[in-house]
Amino acid sequence: AGSQPMANAEGGTEKGASGCAAVEEAYGGARSVWLQNASGMAVRVMELGATIVNILAPNRNGVRSEVTLGCDTFAEWQEQGASLGCVVGRYGNRIARGQFSLGGESYTLTCNNSPGGVPCHLHGAESGFGKRMWSLEDCGVHREGAPAVSGEGRDKRREATEHKRDGSTHAHAHLESTSECRSASACAESEREWAAGDGCAYAIFSLESADGDGGYPGHVLARVRYSLYPHTNALAVEFFADASRPTPINLTNHAYFNLCGEPSRTPVYDHRVCVLASHFLPVDSGMIPTGEYKAVEGTPMDFRTPTLLKRHLRRGAEESDGGEEQGKVVVQAGDGTEADEQLRLGSGYDHTFVVCHPEQGVARLSPPADICLDCGAKCADGGQQANV
C-alpha cells in the first residue's frame, strides 16, 4: 500500500514527549491509524480485519521502505484472499474436515480449503475475523505503563495494571537498521521497553462474535492492541479474548514480511532465516500435524544457524519457459538430492517449529539489505511464557 504517514488527518493527531504519534484518518470504508516514532518508523493499521496496512522501516541512513506485502487501494484489500496483514480467527490455521469435539459435544464448521484433496476449515473460513470490520476502540500515545484494553477507551488508559490478562497472547517484532543482525536475545531491550509501555503509540481494535458464529460455541469479545515503541523500533501485537463458554480460539496476525524494500517485486529467496527450534511438526497430505515431534537436524527445517531460503526454494520463473511452474515456489534440495517431502506437501515452508530455549529468543530474518527483523512473543496463560 503506497500511502505515507500524514502530519494532520481526520480524527486528529496525538503526540507524546517520546516523539511517538498516533494519527487517525479515514481509509476507504474504514478508519485507520498511523503509529509513528521519532526513529522514523511508521505502522498503519485499519479496522477491516484489524489489518496491518503498512510497516515503513528506516535503514541506517534514515531511508524508509515498506517491509510487508499489501494492497494499493481499500477495494483491493476487500477483495484479496491471502489474509494479508489481517488478524485471522476464530481459529488461525486448519481444523481437519472442519470438525472438533469439546465438552462431549461435536461441532461442524465450514470447510474452505482442501490441500491434498483433504477438506479443512482455514482461518475461520468465509466468516473469519480477517474479513470482518473491527471497531477502532482507542488510539493515542501512552504515558503510564501499557495502554489498557477496555471498552471504555480513552478514559481507561491508566488501568493497564488492573486489566485481567488471562487468555491473552503477546508478540513483538523489532526492526533494526544494521548490516549485521543482532543475536535473537537482543530483543531483551525491546522487551523491557514493551513491558514499561511508556511513550508508545498504540491502537486498539475490538470485535464481537456471537454464540454459534461460524459454527463455534460461545460468545467471544476479541481485542487486538498494536503498540509502536519510541526507541527500539519494536512493534508489539497483543491479542485478548473473553468467551462466554469454552471454545477453540487461536488469534494471530497474518502479515507477510519482505525486508528488501520492494515486497511486491522482490522475492525473499536471498533472505537468511534463523529459527532457534530443535524440532518441528510434520504434516500429512492435508497439512494437518501428524502429532510427531521431529528433530530438525538433517532436514531443510534446520534454521538453528542463519540459512538462505534459496538453499531449498526457488521461484518457478527462474527455470521455466512460462509453463506450469511460472511464478510458483519450487522446492529443491541444495545438495542436488531429492527435495524433502514436507516441503513438497507445503509448497514450501508452512510448518510449526518447536522452540528450544525461549529465554534466548527465537526468530531472526535478514535480507541482503541493512534491515533485519528479530521476533519474540509471550503467552500469558497462567505464567507460561515463550519467545517465538
Side-chain angles (χ1 to χ4, degrees):
S3 181
Q4 297 292 313
M6 298 175 63
N8 294 286
E10 180 184 341
T13 301
E14 183 171 341
K15 296 182 179 179
S18 63
C20 283
V23 184
E24 184 181 339
E25 66 177 6
Y27 183 52
R31 289 182 294 171
S32 72
V33 180
W34 277 105
L35 308 176
Q36 306 174 49
N37 68 14
S39 300
M41 185 165 167
V43 178
R44 189 185 197 183
V45 289
M46 69 168 171
E47 289 178 313
L48 178 62
T51 294
I52 294 176
V53 180
N54 302 89
I55 298 180
L56 302 176
N59 64 16
R60 56 183 170 177
N61 297 317
V63 178
R64 290 193 302 196
S65 57
E66 178 64 66
V67 296
T68 56
L69 293 181
C71 302
D72 291 324
T73 67
F74 184 76
E76 290 174 344
W77 280 108
Q78 291 177 299
E79 295 169 0
Q80 62 90 14
S83 300
L84 298 175
C86 70
V87 173
V88 293
R90 287 188 188 188
Y91 196 90
N93 218 330
R94 297 177 174 88
I95 296 177
R97 294 171 294 282
Q99 298 174 345
F100 68 91
S101 297
L102 183 64
E105 295 187 47
S106 297
Y107 298 89
T108 299
L109 311 173
T110 301
C111 290
N112 62 320
N113 189 239
S114 299
V118 180
C120 68
H121 175 86
L122 176 66
H123 298 335
E126 296 306 317
S127 61
F129 288 6
K131 303 176 186 297
R132 305 274 187 93
M133 190 67 74
W134 292 57
S135 175
L136 175 60
E137 191 172 281
D138 190 16
C139 65
V141 177
H142 198 70
R143 297 172 179 85
E144 294 184 15
V149 174
S150 169
E152 297 181 51
R154 297 181 185 272
D155 293 336
K156 294 295 184 180
R157 289 181 198 165
R158 291 178 172 80
E159 294 182 6
T161 56
E162 302 174 10
H163 182 75
K164 181 181 178 182
R165 301 184 67 83
D166 294 343
S168 63
T169 58
H170 316 262
H172 69 275
H174 171 101
L175 283 155
E176 182 182 8
S177 305
T178 178
S179 57
E180 295 291 335
C181 267
R182 305 189 308 171
S183 66
S185 60
C187 283
E189 181 182 355
S190 297
E191 188 167 326
R192 285 192 295 271
E193 185 180 41
W194 169 39
D198 293 336
C200 68
Y202 69 92
I204 299 171
F205 298 92
S206 62
L207 179 71
E208 290 198 54
S209 177
D211 186 8
D213 184 14
Y216 289 95
H219 174 275
V220 168
L221 174 60
R223 290 187 173 96
V224 59
R225 176 170 61 202
Y226 295 102
S227 303
L228 178 63
Y229 288 83
H231 306 300
T232 58
N233 281 350
L235 174 67
V237 186
E238 300 174 84
F239 304 97
F240 303 83
D242 291 308
S244 62
R245 55 188 292 204
T247 186
I249 189 160
N250 184 36
L251 303 177
T252 190
N253 184 278
H254 206 276
Y256 294 74
F257 285 88
N258 182 324
L259 305 185
C260 288
E262 295 182 335
S264 63
R265 295 186 292 275
T266 306
V268 298
Y269 305 108
D270 287 324
H271 281 53
R272 291 185 181 273
V273 177
C274 182
V275 181
L276 300 182
S278 59
H279 293 73
F280 76 100
L281 304 186
V283 296
D284 59 23
S285 60
M287 294 304 298
I288 302 296
T290 62
E292 176 188 5
Y293 276 37
K294 185 173 182 179
V296 300
E297 186 172 0
T299 77
M301 304 295 175
D302 192 350
F303 290 101
R304 291 173 294 176
T305 59
T307 303
L308 283 169
L309 283 175
K310 67 182 179 183
R311 179 179 179 185
H312 297 290
L313 302 177
R314 65 175 172 82
R315 183 170 53 181
E318 294 176 356
E319 299 182 19
S320 172
D321 295 325
E324 290 186 0
E325 287 189 357
Q326 179 74 30
K328 293 184 178 180
V329 173
V330 178
V331 297
Q332 61 185 6
D335 58 3
T337 59
E338 184 178 355
D340 184 82
E341 178 63 17
Q342 285 294 307
L343 291 186
R344 290 188 183 278
L345 289 173
S347 297
Y349 292 99
D350 192 7
H351 296 74
T352 297
F353 289 84
V354 182
V355 175
C356 300
H357 302 290
E359 70 279 1
Q360 298 178 9
V362 172
R364 183 163 66 251
L365 179 66
S366 57
D370 61 349
I371 296 177
C372 72
L373 175 68
D374 287 325
C375 299
K378 287 186 176 181
C379 181
D381 57 352
Q384 180 183 4
Q385 298 183 347
N387 293 326
V388 293

